Amino acid sequence: MSRPVRNVVIVGRDAAAWLTALGLKRAFGRQGVNVTVLELPSMVRSADVLVGLPTLEGLHRLLGLDTDDMLAATAGAYALGQQFANWSQARPPFVHAYDTHGAPIHRIDFLQHWLKARSEGMNVPLEEFSLGAAAAKHGRFVVHGDATSGFSKARAGYHLDASAYIRLVRQKAIELGVQRQAGKLGEVVRSDSGIVSVSLAGGEPLAADLFVDASGVDAVLIGKVLEQPLESWSPWFGCDRVLVTSGPKLNPLPAMSRISGFKAGWIGMFPLRDRTPVVAAYDSRRISDAEMLQSASVLCGMRLGDAFVAPCEPGMRSAPWTGNCVAIGEAAVVLEPLDAASLHMIHVGLSHLITLFPVSAEAMLEAEPFNTSMQNHARNLRDFQIVHYRLNGRLDEPFWDRARETPPPPELAAKLDLFAARGAVALYDDETFQEENWASVLIGHGLIPRGYDPQVDTLAPDELIAAFQRMLGFIASTVRDMPSVEAQLELFAPLPSNASF
Amino acid sequence: MSAQRIRDIVIVGGGTAGWMAAAALAKVMGTQAYTITLVESEAIGTVGVGEATIPMITMFNNVLGIDENEFVRETNATFKLGIEFAGWRREGHSYFHPFGQFGVDMDGVNFNHYWLRWMLSGGSNDYGRFNAETEAARQRRFGRTGHGPQTSLPNINYAFQFDASLYAAYLRRFSEKRGARRIEGQIVKVDRNGQTGLIERLTLKDGQTVQGQLFIDCSGFRGLLIEETLQAGYEDWSHWLPVNRAAAVPCAKVEEPIPYTRSTAREAGWQWRIPLQHRTGNGYVFCDSFISEDEATRLLMSRLDGEAQAEPRILRFVTGRRRKSWVGNCIALGLASGFMEPLESTSIHLVQVGISKLLAMFPKGGFNPLITDRYNAEMEADYVNIRDFLIAHYKVTEREDTPFWRYCKNMDIPDSLATRLEIFRTRGEAMVVQHELFKEQSWFAVLAGQGLMPVDYHPVADLLSEDELKLRLAKIRTGIQDRVSGLPTHQAFLDSCARAPAA
């Protein structure tokens, strides 16, 4: 039998490095795998926020992180979805909640009934039929019971203080026996088959069977040493800068992110329990960094603290696993800090690496299925982000006109066409978001299908109206009885308090 | 004993107590069957630095049938949700004693026990989050509740902070409109019946005489009738409550009035801050064994947040109570029946209690000693309960930074209080009985705020699953958030009071 993987060296920093370290150590530590992190200087700024999808809970279970403890340690808050405002001059804001809409009637998807009713003049927005969206708008947390579980799949995502989260994950990893050396990268020795050893500046070379590049956009191994090129996706986005800053805590605490378009990009508020991180992506050719900082305060309606600006170029390396080196996080894929993409791509990379952990240190045949799946995930998530740009309704603003006129990638074009024809979502392999998420965003951005499933015509109009009213009534009364996200967090994940009036 | 029917009621003294008594008697007993005469002297002033009350005053207002908004306008009143105690536990610390409930009682057990279970298992120690008045005070919001669609949310309990001299003047107009008569003059002689000992007649400086069958002594600390004439005796409590002076001064307002009174612990006592609509009342309540009047006055003046609007005045008192508030045909109200510092704003309340007990036990003809004894026993219980509550503020503290606080922290306390503190510490309840003014929630707020956190709670609170407990607490908390976020700011509510009568 060939030589198994015994030593893993992770070169990198921040969430990608420490989540990978903790994940691999928990999965393979008992089988004798050693995990070492060569920790490069952090690129996290004090204002940074990490945004997690509801599926993050699954990752945390894998990592042995208790969600409530994690929320307490990070001043974390629940986000039941994301509100999009000002992506069109004419259309009202909408909420992309992590939930379905309505309940099927006669086993036909609710969306089809809604489309029919709408075509006949009903003007209740789709999101009104989503328990998750209603909770998000009212700052409520969904506690599922018998009544809701058949109707709604609402789950909460997360806003987390980046520094505190990374501290927590690092501490868990080190407790579990992950070795750590910190410094600047020194020499990388490579051979034909891959990387032999890496060292920190002034340090001893560290050999390993498997290397992980978790260095972020620097891509110190996968890019600089193995020379895997970044395929740029910039033309579909148009933003080249990201500004991060922070404002005071919002009161009451919202239950969702708020993403607002403006003339040269978008700006998002991602509330935490002790502050409100603000992230703006913009086109520096249309607005300067200084102007952006000034506008941010006006756009958010609050005083903002220190701001940090970094370039942003979405794209991916088509072979994030090359030889004996696997890139996780932004070393592999860069997306806009929208739709909780950044943390999710780390999650996807890590869980695939665990599933496909190489059985042999010599011939890593797992690279190919890993790369295929990562490409699929990244492109599908990219397409979900492009929808916001492609379907924008900000007319006569050059940034947005260009975004609207840029032809989408062919897979997305096909998806949009099918949806426009009959409200059906073509799901490809390895999708992050499901039918209800696509439908929510497509309809929210104004892509109303022309037709619907002809099977819905068998339902009598009275029956349809009665069913709709029941659902709306159920949502209203259920939301009234829900705890607020703030109260839920206070009780289940209390922040340390030194009570004083 | 001659059962002479009571026809003429004479009130001595025209401060807050005197006019409250006149107003209540004029309203309830009327001036058809009775004459109500109040004797006061302009030469003896009232204090007028702002007076804070507790929610029972709304019952008094209801008895009188006065429009609350008119009352607020006439007395420059603000609304009060409770008292902030700053620096009482230790310098830099602050807690709030609110007027309302904490949470919702469950399965017959006080909410505090459920909260204690959660807190002792790692929850936040900020119990104020489970009280609507505390949260409203934090956000400086106020509104009347109990009407409208959100009746399932917690109510807001409130009282007032007002200008006491304006309040007395307002009640004077109220009383005179209903037929009460006011006589200006100083009393120089009190005549008693040689056989019965009952007071029959007052003689004023100008020679005028005032006859009566029932006399109400509102003459203040001196107790012109109850002490100087009837020698009821005085029980001195100053070894437990040593403050004996107050320097008082109004100052200009510097911000929108906040809906609560602030009490800040100082080196030899404490300082009050009572925001009114037009200015702020301030006072330093101190013990002259630990600080001189001059030094206390100087410190008070240096600690005002606005410009002083008058010369500071010194008030002198001895904490304690008249051994009997009702002797023969004389009932003492207000300072004449006892003095307790205004730490929990109980002065006006005790006047009100005295009046309502008098009305309940009002003699038709003659004076039944069983009734008189009953009145005195009930008043004594009220004074003693409040006394114990006040002592707890001084005794339960971490402060030992000045001789005054070292004395308080180490002083002996009444057995009734010592027992209560120990029960509270071990099982989270103050064992309050029905008629006590300060209920469980008040004892809880103050004792926990002062630093006495119970170490255990009622076993019934353990019967819920942990998740169910947290979910219930989260829902209670949500109701409080919903209630408070729906309230206007205190200033906006005051503005609305200025425009229209209360709904």
Side-chain angles (χ1 to χ4, degrees):
Chain A
M1 209 178 113
S2 61
R3 187 164 58 85
V5 172
R6 276 285 161 258
N7 294 300
V8 179
V9 168
I10 298 165
V11 179
R13 49 170 62 96
D14 304 329
W18 288 107
L19 284 169
T20 306
L22 179 57
L24 293 181
K25 189 68 187 174
R26 267 189 70 92
F28 305 109
R30 270 174 299 183
Q31 290 92 300
V33 173
N34 303 307
V35 178
T36 304
V37 175
L38 290 192
E39 190 175 24
L40 307 178
S42 173
M43 283 165 53
V44 166
R45 292 79 44 94
S46 58
D48 275 323
V49 61
L50 288 171
V51 183
L53 293 172
T55 50
L56 188 63
E57 195 189 358
L59 176 66
H60 286 155
R61 222 174 301 130
L62 196 71
L63 299 178
L65 284 176
D66 178 83
T67 298
D68 292 338
D69 292 349
M70 186 273 303
L71 285 166
T74 59
Y78 289 120
L80 278 72
Q82 309 195 305
Q83 183 199 58
F84 290 87
N86 300 312
W87 291 73
S88 159
Q89 285 126 346
R91 286 188 296 272
F94 72 92
V95 177
H96 165 214
Y98 307 129
D99 195 9
T100 49
H101 304 95
I105 305 171
H106 295 332
R107 293 197 206 86
I108 303 166
D109 186 37
F110 175 81
L111 177 62
Q112 298 299 324
H113 296 287
W114 181 83
L115 288 171
K116 180 191 177 187
R118 191 179 187 282
S119 73
E120 289 171 355
M122 185 200 65
N123 60 3
V124 182
L126 181 62
E127 71 184 40
E128 300 283 317
F129 294 92
S130 160
L131 186 69
K137 285 190 281 190
H138 288 90
R140 299 300 216 222
F141 183 79
V142 180
V143 180
H144 283 294
D146 292 344
T148 57
S149 55
F151 180 76
S152 157
K153 295 200 293 188
R155 290 178 68 193
Y158 310 90
H159 296 154
L160 310 168
D161 177 85
S163 307
Y165 180 74
I166 292 161
R167 236 180 353 259
L168 179 72
V169 176
R170 181 200 285 125
Q171 181 201 331
K172 295 272 177 198
I174 288 172
E175 278 170 15
L176 212 63
V178 170
Q179 303 293 309
R180 168 178 181 264
Q181 296 181 22
K184 287 189 177 147
L185 189 62
E187 199 185 358
V188 180
V189 178
R190 64 172 295 188
S191 69
D192 290 345
S193 58
I195 293 169
V196 177
S197 70
V198 295
S199 61
L200 289 177
E204 294 293 307
L206 260 168
D209 307 310
L210 179 70
F211 291 87
V212 174
D213 184 344
S215 62
V217 291
D218 283 2
V220 293
L221 301 182
I222 196 77
K224 290 193 175 130
V225 176
L226 300 172
E227 296 172 331
Q228 287 294 321
L230 185 84
E231 169 195 330
S232 175
W233 293 336
S234 291
W236 289 301
F237 290 94
C239 294
D240 63 350
R241 284 273 209 292
V242 172
L243 175 141
V244 179
T245 174
S246 190
K249 180 199 177 269
L250 292 177
N251 208 0
L253 183 71
M256 58 190 180
S257 328
R258 291 175 176 161
I259 319 291
S260 181
F262 68 97
K263 67 170 178 158
W266 58 264
I267 185 162
M269 293 197 271
F270 302 91
L272 295 175
R273 275 188 282 166
D274 57 355
R275 64 185 181 94
T276 305
V278 170
V279 177
Y282 56 100
D283 181 352
S284 66
R285 289 149 298 191
R286 300 181 200 274
I287 184 169
S288 72
D289 294 344
E291 270 181 286
M292 183 66 240
L293 180 56
Q294 270 187 336
S295 310
S297 181
V298 176
L299 290 166
C300 296
M302 58 178 157
R303 194 180 299 217
L304 298 171
D306 290 348
F308 307 88
V309 173
C312 173
E313 186 188 9
M316 94 166 282
R317 288 170 221 280
S318 54
W321 189 334
T322 297
N324 64 345
C325 175
V326 182
I328 302 276
E330 293 200 322
V333 187
V334 180
L335 286 164
E336 285 206 349
L338 198 57
D339 304 311
S342 315
L343 194 53
H344 186 68
M345 284 314 300
I346 297 175
H347 178 179
V348 169
L350 172 58
S351 54
H352 278 74
L353 178 55
I354 290 173
T355 310
L356 293 170
F357 195 73
V359 292
S360 158
E362 279 135 20
M364 297 190 180
L365 299 178
E366 293 87 352
E368 197 196 325
F370 179 91
N371 288 339
T372 304
S373 186
M374 288 303 290
Q375 285 172 31
N376 289 340
H377 265 290
R379 294 200 172 115
N380 289 329
L381 190 48
R382 172 201 67 189
D383 287 356
F384 195 79
Q385 294 195 334
I386 293 173
V387 165
H388 302 304
Y389 287 93
R390 171 71 176 171
L391 296 183
N392 86 77
R394 294 182 68 111
L395 309 181
D396 299 322
E397 289 180 309
F399 175 86
W400 292 103
D401 290 344
R402 199 201 66 86
R404 213 169 37 249
E405 287 154 12
T406 305
E411 299 83 0
L412 176 58
K415 200 173 241 168
L416 295 177
D417 287 347
L418 178 67
F419 192 78
R422 56 177 295 152
V425 176
L427 279 190
Y428 301 127
D429 288 345
D430 302 316
E431 289 264 13
T432 294
F433 289 109
Q434 303 305 306
E435 281 103 330
E436 61 267 22
N437 305 104
W438 283 96
S440 170
V441 167
L442 294 173
I443 286 178
H445 281 306
L447 183 65
I448 307 297
R450 296 183 299 276
Y452 52 82
D453 185 339
Q455 291 183 84
V456 303
D457 284 330
T458 57
L459 198 71
D462 292 359
E463 207 183 334
L464 189 63
I465 291 168
F468 278 23
Q469 283 173 342
R470 265 198 311 279
M471 292 181 204
L472 293 173
F474 172 73
I475 288 172
S477 66
T478 307
V479 167
R480 253 197 311 277
D481 193 41
M482 288 175 184
S484 70
V485 281
E486 193 156 20
Q488 182 73 13
L489 287 162
E490 280 178 15
L491 270 301
F492 286 80
L495 297 182
S497 90
N498 193 0
S500 209
F501 176 65
Chain B
M1 196 173 101
S2 72
Q4 192 190 1
R5 199 185 148 83
I6 293 170
R7 277 209 39 86
D8 306 301
I9 305 170
V10 180
I11 301 165
V12 174
T16 311
W19 286 112
M20 282 178 76
L25 288 166
K27 174 74 182 184
V28 177
M29 307 307 292
T31 50
Q32 304 291 317
Y34 298 92
T35 71
I36 298 171
T37 306
L38 186 145
V39 182
E40 70 173 330
S41 167
E42 298 275 347
I44 305 166
T46 51
V47 180
V49 284
E51 184 86 36
T53 56
I54 55 177
M56 274 60 77
I57 191 166
T58 56
M59 286 155 51
F60 187 73
N61 283 346
N62 288 342
V63 168
L64 298 190
I66 58 184
D67 176 82
E68 198 171 278
N69 285 3
E70 177 189 283
F71 162 79
V72 165
R73 282 196 302 274
E74 296 276 335
T75 62
N76 269 324
T78 56
F79 292 89
K80 177 184 171 191
L81 296 163
I83 304 174
E84 179 193 357
F85 288 94
W88 279 81
R89 178 174 174 180
R90 60 171 179 270
E91 289 276 15
H93 180 268
S94 179
Y95 70 92
F96 196 70
H97 170 200
F99 286 141
Q101 292 289 331
F102 287 95
V104 175
D105 297 350
M106 294 179 259
D107 300 325
V109 173
N110 191 293
F111 173 81
N112 301 343
H113 299 286
Y114 294 91
W115 180 82
L116 280 167
R117 175 183 161 196
W118 175 67
M119 190 277 296
L120 292 169
S121 67
S124 160
N125 61 349
D126 183 2
Y127 51 87
R129 293 185 192 176
F130 291 94
N131 171 264
E133 290 82 5
T134 306
E135 288 290 90
R138 282 172 168 159
Q139 298 177 33
R140 302 185 173 196
R141 293 173 188 264
F142 179 76
R144 292 190 191 104
T145 55
H147 318 281
Q150 292 189 301
T151 42
S152 63
L153 299 179
N155 278 326
I156 297 291
N157 295 283
Y158 63 93
F160 308 95
Q161 310 169 119
F162 53 67
D163 184 322
S165 49
L166 292 180
Y167 183 53
Y170 176 69
L171 292 179
R172 175 180 163 184
R173 288 194 295 280
F174 177 96
S175 308
E176 289 182 328
K177 218 184 294 176
R178 281 160 184 77
R181 191 164 64 105
R182 173 184 180 274
I183 296 175
E184 165 71 35
Q186 265 180 279
I187 295 159
V188 292
K189 186 157 164 275
V190 180
D191 291 322
R192 297 168 68 184
N193 182 295
Q195 286 178 332
T196 62
L198 297 181
I199 298 171
E200 289 181 332
R201 188 182 310 104
L202 308 178
T203 306
L204 307 188
K205 203 172 183 176
D206 61 5
Q208 198 179 166
T209 60
V210 185
Q211 309 238 11
Q213 296 80 51
L214 181 68
F215 288 82
I216 299 180
D217 185 352
C218 301
S219 64
F221 192 64
R222 60 189 284 219
L224 179 70
L225 304 184
I226 197 79
E227 193 64 49
E228 292 179 8
T229 308
L230 300 169
Q231 293 165 349
Y234 196 75
E235 187 177 348
D236 183 341
W237 287 339
S238 55
H239 49 298
W240 290 317
L241 293 166
V243 298
N244 58 4
R245 297 284 185 277
V249 67
C251 75
K253 86 170 186 186
V254 290
E255 57 174 12
E256 289 181 356
I258 54 176
Y260 54 91
T261 299
R262 181 179 296 136
S263 161
T264 306
R266 297 299 190 198
E267 51 285 289
W270 58 277
Q271 182 175 335
W272 79 72
R273 181 182 183 279
I274 300 178
L276 306 180
Q277 285 183 37
H278 59 314
R279 65 185 186 195
T280 306
N282 307 277
Y284 185 177
V285 183
F286 59 94
C287 174
D288 75 342
S289 316
F290 294 93
I291 193 170
S292 70
E293 290 184 2
D294 286 350
E295 178 65 359
T297 305
R298 189 188 66 76
L299 286 170
L300 171 68
M301 298 304 279
S302 72
R303 288 163 175 165
L304 301 179
D305 58 9
E307 201 180 327
Q309 292 188 329
E311 285 301 309
R313 295 183 45 180
I314 294 279
L315 311 165
R316 300 182 180 91
F317 51 83
V318 177
T319 296
R321 65 171 273 277
R322 206 66 68 193
R323 288 187 191 281
K324 286 181 176 154
S325 300
W326 187 341
V327 178
N329 65 341
C330 173
I331 290 116
L333 294 175
L335 303 190
S337 78
F339 182 90
M340 284 192 279
E341 58 193 284
L343 184 57
E344 285 285 357
S345 316
T346 46
S347 314
I348 286 183
H349 175 73
L350 283 167
V351 175
Q352 183 186 332
V353 168
I355 292 170
S356 64
K357 285 192 204 299
L358 169 61
L359 289 171
M361 303 180 191
F362 201 84
K364 201 165 184 180
F367 295 91
N368 181 343
L370 293 177
I371 291 292
T372 310
D373 290 349
R374 172 76 189 207
Y375 179 95
N376 286 329
E378 288 189 11
M379 286 308 289
E380 177 178 8
D382 282 335
Y383 270 87
V384 166
N385 286 327
I386 293 171
R387 177 201 71 187
D388 280 6
F389 190 56
L390 297 185
I391 297 170
H393 293 67
Y394 291 97
K395 176 69 181 177
V396 182
T397 180
E398 294 167 15
R399 287 192 75 141
E400 286 191 271
D401 53 319
T402 65
F404 173 81
W405 286 102
R406 273 196 294 281
Y407 172 81
C408 294
K409 189 175 161 66
N410 297 302
M411 69 185 168
D412 288 333
I413 54 175
D415 291 346
S416 52
L417 176 59
T419 307
R420 177 165 274 178
L421 294 182
E422 184 56 14
I423 291 174
F424 182 82
R425 192 185 67 77
T426 51
R427 52 179 295 137
E429 55 199 326
M431 298 275 185
V432 165
V433 295
Q434 191 92 44
H435 68 267
E436 282 190 63
L437 174 60
F438 291 104
K439 309 294 184 203
E440 284 292 337
Q441 66 262 22
S442 288
W443 281 94
F444 186 86
V446 168
L447 294 183
Q450 293 285 145
L452 183 66
M453 194 56 88
V455 295
D456 210 342
Y457 50 84
H458 197 283
V460 163
D462 274 329
L463 299 180
L464 288 178
S465 75
E466 189 178 336
D467 274 8
E468 176 64 18
L469 172 70
K470 288 181 180 175
L471 184 61
R472 287 198 195 182
L473 294 183
K475 287 186 178 178
I476 290 168
R477 172 78 177 118
T478 301
I480 287 165
Q481 289 175 314
D482 287 355
R483 166 57 80 203
V484 173
S485 64
L487 298 175
T489 66
H490 181 221
Q491 183 63 55
F493 193 82
L494 284 172
D495 293 345
S496 73
C497 289
R499 285 194 300 270

